[in-house]
Amino acid sequence: MTNVITFPNAASSADVICTPLSITFPRIYRAALRDRVHYTLSPDRSPYPDLVEMKQVHSIVAGDRCSVVVRRHQSIEMAL
């Protein structure tokens, strides 16, 4: 599944900054489940019935075996 996300033009202190790429991401949340970890842009707990902990983070925790793939497109049409 792919989500197309339009990032805000201005960063806030709670945003995540990727210094090497000069990209500012919105807040991210780490959902620790019983058997895995999931990162999301929404603090909504309802999609995770086996949620152990949900917290805002500023980076992916080492050892979580997760990654973020970022692709930049000139327009939403090109992204689709």
Side-chain angles (χ1 to χ4, degrees), residues 62-76:
D64 274 353
R65 302 180 68 184
C66 297
S67 63
V68 176
V69 176
V70 177
R71 296 186 322 194
R72 182 181 181 279
H73 300 280
Q74 295 294 328
S75 66
I76 293 291

Side-chain angles (χ1 to χ4, degrees), residues 18-35:
C18 177
T19 305
L21 299 176
S22 297
I23 298 174
T24 302
F25 296 91
R27 295 176 180 107
I28 59 172
Y29 298 88
R30 181 180 186 270
L33 312 175
R34 286 190 201 116
D35 61 347

Side-chain angles (χ1 to χ4, degrees), residues 3-17:
N3 292 326
V4 176
I5 300 167
T6 303
F7 295 136
N9 291 333
S12 77
S13 62
D15 292 340
V16 177
I17 299 170

Side-chain angles (χ1 to χ4, degrees), residues 29-33 36 38 40-56:
Y29 298 88
R30 181 180 186 270
L33 312 175
R36 66 193 188 302
H38 181 79
T40 179
L41 297 174
S42 170
D44 183 11
R45 303 166 81 89
S46 63
Y48 311 105
D50 57 344
L51 183 69
V52 174
E53 179 185 46
M54 172 77 82
K55 67 179 181 178
Q56 182 180 335

